[in-house]
Amino acid sequence: MSEVKDATRDGLAGIVGAKSVFTEPEVLETYSRDQSFTPARKPNYVVKPKNLDELQSIVRLANEQLMPIIPYSSGTDFHGAAVPTQGGILVDLSQMNRITELSDLYWSVTVEPGVTFAQLQKEAAKKGLRVQVPLMTPPSASVLSTYLEREPVPGAADFIYGVEQIQTMRVVLPSGESFTLGNPAIEGGPHSHPFGPGLNFWRLFMCAQGTYGITYEMNLRLLPLPKVQKIFFSEFNNVGDAIAAMKQIQRQELGFECFILNSFDLATLVVNEDAATTKSLKNGTYVGLDGAKPWSPAQCQRFDALRQGLPPWTLVVSISAWARNPEEKVEYQELDLRDLAAASGFELKPSVGGITGLDKIIADEMVLPWRMQKRFGYKGTAHSLMFHATGDSIGLIEDALGQLAARYYYSAGDIGAYIQPVERARTFYCAFDLYSNPTDDNDMEKVNAFFNEASEMLINLGAFFDRPYGPWAEMMYRRNGNYAEYLKKIKAQLDPNNIMNPGKLCF
Ligand SMILES: Cc1cc2nc3c(=O)[nH]c(=O)nc-3n(C[C@H](O)[C@H](O)[C@H](O)COP(=O)(O)OP(=O)(O)OC[C@H]3O[C@@H](n4cnc5c(N)ncnc54)[C@H](O)[C@@H]3O)c2cc1C
């Protein structure tokens, strides 16, 4: 081992203790790849800090030694963002997992990066509260980095804060200094306002893939658990009609959670798995480093039968009511929703495809989703095309994706789709999933080529990849060099040595 390597390891051990520094090849291997097509690359060191002091010292050491540093919260990102591009020190933040300031007065909580959705939801429920969870996220995902990476939640967010659940946060800058955003920036301020004073710095650190600093604390908005909830389903033959109905519902501000699933995704959500699999799904460990165990022939049959019995597109809308007159609120919203459906020519149903208890399954998923992980077992792994688009472009995008699939001998029926409104349907968040078998190199190569060509094509059709992971970074920044130049100028000020996750975004 070279001197520099020893010096780094000794330095890290001096900060966190030798037991929290890892250089064993088999450990480094587990941090070297994920389910994306990002080329594997091992870090040189994995280090697990326990507190802010240790984290700051690690960042200062990396700066002194000009070592890349890669923040990693739960490693379930699957888009290659925490896979090192140049080796370096991977900072696994899972030991920083404290939940503090859980308040039923302010409906907010402070979390560290290692806090998972399963952990937080359990604590919040003790006070009758819950955190909103994106439907595709497993229970083992870090709350902080899921929000930091701007994965949207299905609940209707108001226009002031947009889809953000973040109130305030604290960041370790590349220099090792700590920086507080929002009103706690003024000593003793409560966590009630993310903006200012002056510029909204907090957004600078969002979707930065760890390139601008390491967020070590985040204060989030919570919601009360619903007292009464009713869930409705509507069937559509094409995505355009489903979007039109969703727009109407959202414009009238009816309901809370609202989303659309195609028959593939809905069948994945409800298909029965065997009992042994349920545990790993609920723990969020169903998808391992090498993907998920492919479904059994019996499960494939159950899935096909289900899929065939479902409408091509299903719109789901939930009406939730909290402490004040909950029955009354659900009743009048249901009446309004029924009026709107009748006027617009769609039906509201208690289920689709004859599935019993579908409303209960969906209610359960909206508190702690775990069933959507199952889709990885369809072929072994999945690759999401996640973007924002206006309502009128989604039909074109879906058509074009189906046509391109044929050129790759990929069945258009094997594309999963999930769509949710953003800020009352001002725009839409879409996730179209492609599937491949990770043990079959030819299949992986084919789906990788399809994924890349589809990404370019979707951007040309109006898809906005606001989280530019992997190949999307080059595709997005190539289309606006000026924007990338300014990101680089800010980066040069914050991180002159380019130690923070180099190789990501345009850095
Ligand atoms: C089965 C499964 C299905 C999924 N499906 C989807 C899906 O359909 N759509 C979707 O969008 N996501 C999906 N995800 C991703 C999931 O929601 C992630 O859990 C989420 O994005 C957070 O990832 P993470 O905490 O594991 O981040 P990591 O992998 O730890 O990191 C993600 C990025 O954030 C940076 N980072 C991490 N922590 C910090 C920090 N404290 N400060 C600064 N930067 C940091 C990292 O360097 C990296 O660039 C899926 C995950 C799984 C396991």
Side-chain angles (χ1 to χ4, degrees):
M1 192 173 285
S2 75
E3 266 196 16
V4 173
K5 259 192 159 181
D6 279 341
T8 307
R9 189 162 68 173
D10 290 350
L12 292 171
I15 296 166
V16 294
K19 285 194 177 145
S20 298
V21 183
F22 304 86
T23 51
E24 300 83 341
E26 59 281 10
V27 177
L28 302 183
E29 162 70 16
T30 61
Y31 291 88
S32 69
R33 56 199 167 92
D34 63 14
Q35 297 298 306
S36 67
F37 296 114
T38 307
R41 174 78 199 241
K42 282 186 200 150
N44 300 76
Y45 311 92
V46 171
V47 58
K48 296 188 181 183
K50 292 171 283 306
N51 54 46
L52 173 63
D53 268 2
E54 292 183 359
L55 182 58
Q56 288 181 293
S57 302
I58 294 166
V59 175
R60 288 193 184 108
L61 180 82
N63 235 323
E64 274 161 31
Q65 304 209 347
L66 300 181
M67 268 275 172
I69 187 160
I70 304 105
Y72 176 106
S73 283
S74 56
T76 60
D77 179 64
F78 287 5
H79 311 300
V83 172
T85 309
Q86 306 173 3
I89 304 167
L90 187 140
V91 185
D92 180 335
L93 298 153
S94 56
Q95 309 290 303
M96 294 177 68
N97 61 357
R98 279 169 288 256
I99 298 174
T100 52
E101 302 177 286
L102 176 53
S103 165
D104 48 6
L105 178 62
Y106 298 117
W107 291 2
S108 65
V109 66
T110 300
V111 293
E112 291 186 332
V115 173
T116 64
F117 280 105
Q119 187 189 346
L120 179 57
Q121 216 58 301
K122 201 167 153 201
E123 285 308 304
K126 292 179 188 164
K127 296 205 174 198
L129 297 168
R130 68 164 173 135
V131 63
Q132 283 208 69
V133 193
L135 200 70
M136 303 288 167
T137 298
S140 55
S142 155
V143 180
L144 180 148
S145 58
T146 298
Y147 283 158
L148 194 64
E149 284 294 295
R150 216 161 44 213
E151 203 182 326
V153 293
D158 57 51
F159 284 97
I160 302 172
Y161 292 100
V163 287
E164 323 287 13
Q165 306 300 307
I166 302 171
Q167 303 216 95
T168 61
M169 57 191 194
R170 298 184 199 271
V171 182
V172 171
L173 297 175
S175 62
E177 285 165 286
S178 163
F179 189 58
T180 300
L181 304 126
N183 57 348
I186 307 304
E187 209 59 50
H191 297 279
S192 59
H193 198 78
F195 311 132
L199 290 171
N200 294 339
F201 269 118
W202 65 309
R203 292 189 195 265
L204 194 62
F205 299 94
M206 293 186 68
C207 271
Q209 297 178 22
T211 59
Y212 273 18
I214 303 181
T215 304
Y216 66 92
E217 231 180 64
M218 184 181 275
N219 185 270
L220 300 165
R221 303 159 98 193
L222 295 175
L223 285 173
L225 283 161
K227 285 263 188 284
V228 181
Q229 190 174 39
K230 214 159 171 187
I231 297 171
F232 301 93
F233 302 87
S234 296
E235 305 182 351
F236 296 91
N237 284 330
N238 67 70
V239 70
D241 290 345
I243 295 275
M246 186 185 254
K247 262 190 173 170
Q248 306 248 30
I249 295 168
Q250 294 295 312
R251 291 291 151 90
Q252 293 202 20
E253 305 208 353
L254 293 170
F256 190 63
E257 283 100 346
C258 188
F259 52 87
I260 298 168
L261 296 169
N262 74 353
S263 54
F264 186 100
D265 268 15
L266 186 53
T268 314
L269 190 112
V270 291
V271 66
N272 287 343
E273 67 281 348
D274 47 60
T277 308
T278 311
K279 198 170 168 206
S280 64
L281 287 164
K282 288 193 171 177
N283 287 338
T285 52
Y286 175 72
V287 188
L289 198 56
D290 296 311
K293 193 171 147 211
W295 292 348
S296 65
Q299 181 149 5
C300 290
Q301 272 178 9
R302 286 198 295 272
F303 174 77
D304 278 336
L306 255 169
R307 182 159 54 150
Q308 259 135 51
L310 289 170
W313 297 90
T314 300
L315 184 152
V316 183
V317 58
S318 94
I319 300 179
S320 298
W322 294 284
R324 271 199 228 161
N325 305 326
E327 281 86 9
E328 202 182 310
K329 181 183 171 192
V330 170
E331 198 183 318
Y332 76 70
Q333 284 223 358
E334 179 177 350
L335 284 174
D336 283 354
L337 200 55
R338 289 200 180 281
D339 283 351
L340 184 140
S344 310
F346 64 91
E347 251 185 284
L348 291 175
K349 298 183 167 187
S351 182
V352 285
I355 303 164
T356 45
L358 185 57
D359 56 343
K360 293 210 169 36
I361 293 175
I362 296 290
D364 190 33
E365 285 292 292
M366 287 184 309
V367 177
L368 194 60
W370 55 269
R371 291 174 175 85
M372 285 310 295
Q373 292 167 85
K374 267 182 279 177
R375 71 198 198 283
F376 280 73
Y378 183 61
K379 286 190 181 164
T381 191
H383 311 278
S384 272
L385 291 156
M386 308 158 312
F387 54 88
H388 286 256
T390 54
D392 48 0
S393 56
I394 296 173
L396 293 176
I397 284 173
E398 196 240 342
D399 263 5
L401 202 53
Q403 283 170 28
L404 185 63
R407 283 206 4 241
Y408 283 92
Y409 302 99
Y410 184 101
S411 163
D414 283 356
I415 301 177
Y418 167 77
I419 300 168
Q420 69 168 70
V422 176
E423 289 161 21
R424 294 288 182 191
R426 175 178 60 74
T427 175
F428 295 85
Y429 169 72
C430 309
F432 285 86
D433 288 336
L434 312 182
Y435 295 87
S436 65
N437 176 353
T439 62
D440 177 343
D441 289 346
N442 288 336
D443 191 45
M444 288 295 278
E445 211 175 291
K446 179 186 87 174
V447 178
N448 189 2
F450 176 24
F451 182 89
N452 286 336
E453 188 173 345
S455 302
E456 282 283 2
M457 179 189 77
L458 297 189
I459 297 172
N460 291 335
L461 288 170
F464 186 73
F465 287 82
D466 78 312
R467 300 187 277 162
Y469 296 118
W472 301 334
E474 192 276 332
M475 293 178 197
M476 296 303 285
Y477 295 128
R478 170 170 23 99
R479 286 168 165 84
N480 192 344
N482 199 31
Y483 188 89
E485 269 318 296
Y486 272 90
L487 288 184
K488 285 181 187 167
K489 281 183 189 167
I490 299 167
K491 171 80 167 166
Q493 292 297 315
L494 278 174
D495 183 14
N497 294 325
N498 196 17
I499 56 157
M500 296 300 307
N501 212 357
K504 301 297 185 280
L505 300 178
C506 54
F507 310 127

